Amino acid sequence: MAKMKRTFVYLFLSVISFVSIFPFLWMIISSTNPSVDVTKGKLLPGSYFMDNLRKLMDSTELLQALYNSAVIAIMTTVLAMVIASLAGYGFEIFRSKTRDAVFNILLLSMMIPFAALMVPLYRFFADISRFAPAIGINSISAVILPTVTTAFLIFFFRQSTKMFPKDMLEAGRIDGLTEIGIFFKIFMPTMKTTYAAAGIITFMASWNNYLWPLIVLQTPEKKTIPLLISNLGAGYAPDYGVIMTAIVIATLPTALVFFLLQKHFVAGMTGSVK
Amino acid sequence: MKQAKPRLSLDRRNGISGWSFIIISVVMIFTFYFYPMVQSLILSFKTGTGANLTFVGLDNYIRLFSDRTFLTAVKNTFIYLIIQVPVMIILALMISVLLNDSKLKFRGFFRTAIFLPCVTSLVAYSIIFKYLFAGDGLVNSLLLNVHLINQPIEWITDPFWAKVTIIIAITWRWTGYNMIFYLSSLQNIDNSIYEAARIDGASSIQQFFKITVPLMKPIILFTSITSTIGTLQLFDEIVNITKGGPGNATMSISHYIYNLSFKYSADFGYAATVSYSIVIMIIVLAFIQFKVAGEKNG
């Protein structure tokens, strides 16, 4: 009986694992095959990857899209880290009743669905476009600004600050550091793992973001990777090999981040709710 | 003799530092969340195309109840919500309880494998699923080969199966995500509670419902609220797998708002009204979920 139960457990987990991995395998295999083989359901790797890649680069602005995505994701991550950790630290270290109330109000923004924001945000940036096109519709800052500050990240940094040893703070003050000096010279270096976890989450969210860039980025040379893939997938005569190659390339950065920094990744997700 | 500089009180100093640390975030969240929310509310009482808007009072809200596309989108969203969220949460709970057994072999492999879908972007996995579930796709040929079905299932083009495909896809993408939360919460449960239960003769199913679920209630509540909010905002999958079709059979509320604003004739006022329906649903559902969790507590 116990043995049967164990066998069932392994079987169940193996099936779930297989189902989880299979689409990845299929994506990778398909990227190495020409479209006809993919349609035939070929499940063995071929030698067509470079041809697919060349076709992809000829038919789309792949490098431009990768560049756009990278610039947006990196800028978003760096800015988000600084802004949110300043606030999370500030709320925790300099506590007061008023600021705790403000914190709770900020948390409410987590309940706001993006669907309720997209129309006014679009109009907001359309208005800005009239006198400052460089930061209006179709600009990188229009993509970054609304997504860079999230209550979730502020909350995450506030929770982590609770773990920060307070005597280091006092030591810094005795050494004559300013409050902001303490933050940059003591807090930031001590909390590297917190920053790593938060950075990974933010980078992935930004790299994969679809709806808002779809709305604000309107010319082809501004498109990001998710927009490029979505366009390819919407075509009437899709070249499966080429599309799968594009998806492999788009998934590569996030998959790499995940495998190299798995521990931080999990810490980033769960750390804030513990 | 040097005179001591007049020093600010500790409270005042704390206050100045405190506000200067948080001011950027406060300004950003108010500018990009709360201010648009107010704008959206004002817009929801107006109508017109593009920038030519006139005030119409509650007309848009009345229009909601006779708008067939809207009602279909709401119905679809609730079908996703009622079926997908519980299925995923139960599946994730089961997996995490099994994985929490320290005697289990290949734990690391199973965990990584099941979490892997979270690495993909929503657009990327949607396109993969669209092709896997195509009429002549791999899923159909597999099912045909093992004689589970006699003719291909119209996964994408049949109103019923298209919803099933969307539900399968979302469950694939998010089960591992929820599992991670449960695993980390399970690790905090003291093992001696289970030992005591075993001595009292509790079966593993009893242990699950009498110990594990009650102890994990806060995290289950957290994941069910985030999943609910996520499902109410469903967009990427619908657009990239089915385009909302066939007909409007899979269209979600967010997809409809997008179409109203950016695809049809830019009816921003009415789009804002539809978006407020999501806000109201999120508030009501979160309230119900808190209530349900609270009652079980007492």
Side-chain angles (χ1 to χ4, degrees), chain B residues 194-264:
Chain B
Y194 289 103
E195 271 158 35
R198 267 194 292 273
I199 293 165
D200 290 345
S203 71
S204 38
I205 297 199
Q206 278 173 322
Q207 286 173 34
F208 178 75
F209 284 107
K210 295 270 153 82
I211 302 173
T212 313
V213 173
L215 281 176
M216 285 175 67
K217 205 158 62 192
I219 195 77
I220 296 175
L221 178 68
F222 171 83
T223 52
S224 58
I225 289 177
T226 49
S227 305
T228 303
I229 295 179
T231 310
L232 285 176
Q233 304 195 59
L234 206 58
F235 178 80
D236 300 17
E237 289 90 342
I238 311 290
V239 169
N240 288 295
I241 299 178
T242 60
K243 288 194 189 125
N248 292 324
T250 54
M251 181 177 277
S252 66
I253 308 175
S254 290
H255 189 191
Y256 186 45
I257 298 170
Y258 176 83
N259 283 352
L260 281 173
S261 328
F262 304 108
K263 235 180 161 178
Y264 309 152

Side-chain angles (χ1 to χ4, degrees), chain A residues 10 17 19-20 83 87 94 99 105 114 116 119-120 148-149 208 210-211 230 233 240 243 254-255 258 265 269, chain B residues 14 19 25 28 34 36 40 53 105 110 113 115 119-121 123 130-131 172 181 222 233 235-236 240 257 261:
Chain A
Y10 280 107
S17 301
V19 171
S20 300
I83 294 172
F94 310 102
R99 278 188 293 277
I105 294 171
F114 186 74
V119 170
V148 77
T149 317
N208 292 334
Y210 175 62
L211 177 53
S230 179
Y240 297 108
I243 295 172
T254 50
F258 171 67
F265 192 93
M269 275 177 47
Chain B
N14 257 347
W19 289 111
S25 284
M28 291 293 274
F34 296 125
S40 204
L53 294 164
K105 282 174 199 152
F110 287 135
F115 183 73
V119 176
T120 56
S121 80
V123 174
K130 176 180 162 183
Y131 294 146
W172 180 83
F181 286 98
F222 171 83
Q233 304 195 59
F235 178 80
D236 300 17
N240 288 295
I257 298 170
S261 328

Side-chain angles (χ1 to χ4, degrees), chain A:
Chain A
M1 183 64 196
K3 207 171 178 187
M4 224 175 82
K5 208 169 111 188
R6 228 189 17 239
T7 318
F8 176 77
V9 167
Y10 280 107
L11 192 71
F12 175 74
L13 290 173
S14 305
V15 170
I16 301 269
S17 301
F18 176 76
V19 171
S20 300
I21 297 175
F22 182 76
F24 284 92
L25 290 178
W26 185 70
M27 155 188 100
I28 294 167
I29 291 169
S30 300
S31 74
T32 66
N33 285 318
S35 195
V36 264
D37 286 357
V38 179
T39 350
K40 275 188 220 148
K42 186 178 168 192
L43 287 176
L44 291 169
S47 55
Y48 214 73
F49 181 77
M50 289 318 282
D51 294 82
N52 281 336
L53 187 60
R54 201 176 319 111
K55 266 199 232 166
L56 176 65
M57 289 175 74
D58 287 345
S59 60
T60 64
E61 297 285 336
L62 178 71
L63 293 178
Q64 182 69 47
L66 280 171
Y67 172 79
N68 295 341
S69 278
V71 169
I72 290 172
I74 292 169
M75 281 179 69
T76 303
T77 309
V78 172
L79 284 172
M81 292 299 92
V82 175
I83 294 172
S85 65
L86 274 171
Y89 177 90
F91 277 119
E92 186 58 30
I93 301 291
F94 310 102
R95 287 191 72 166
S96 80
K97 269 207 177 121
T98 334
R99 278 188 293 277
D100 277 354
V102 172
F103 179 74
N104 287 331
I105 294 171
L106 295 194
L107 281 190
L108 277 180
S109 69
M110 285 207 276
M111 301 285 275
I112 300 177
F114 186 74
L117 300 175
M118 62 191 187
V119 170
L121 281 178
Y122 175 81
R123 286 164 47 99
F124 179 80
F125 282 100
D127 285 344
I128 289 180
S129 286
R130 265 185 255 141
F131 55 90
I135 56 167
I137 296 292
N138 210 23
S139 74
I140 284 179
S141 41
V143 181
I144 295 175
L145 283 174
T147 52
V148 77
T149 317
T150 59
F152 172 78
L153 217 52
I154 299 170
F155 178 73
F156 177 71
F157 274 107
R158 182 177 187 169
Q159 292 297 102
S160 316
T161 308
K162 292 187 181 177
M163 252 74 96
F164 178 67
K166 300 291 174 301
D167 30 332
M168 289 179 79
L169 208 79
E170 285 310 316
R173 283 183 187 143
I174 290 163
D175 285 352
L177 283 173
T178 57
E179 292 300 329
I180 198 79
I182 293 171
F183 175 79
F184 281 110
K185 291 194 182 125
I186 302 177
F187 179 80
M188 271 191 165
T190 333
M191 306 299 276
K192 272 193 205 117
T193 43
T194 305
Y195 279 94
I200 293 165
I201 299 284
T202 313
F203 180 86
M204 303 238 325
S206 173
W207 180 266
N208 292 334
N209 195 7
Y210 175 62
L211 177 53
W212 180 236
L214 176 70
I215 293 169
V216 279
L217 298 178
Q218 298 177 332
T219 52
E221 84 280 0
K222 296 279 183 176
K223 298 270 188 243
T224 57
I225 279 287
L227 299 178
L228 182 137
I229 292 176
S230 179
N231 270 345
L232 278 176
Y236 281 103
D239 185 319
Y240 297 108
V242 169
I243 295 172
M244 289 304 148
T245 307
I247 296 180
V248 166
I249 290 169
T251 313
L252 219 55
T254 50
L256 258 163
V257 165
F258 171 67
F259 279 111
L260 293 177
L261 303 160
Q262 219 186 102
K263 270 209 187 101
H264 295 310
F265 192 93
V266 172
M269 275 177 47
T270 57
S272 53
V273 280
K274 256 186 188 162

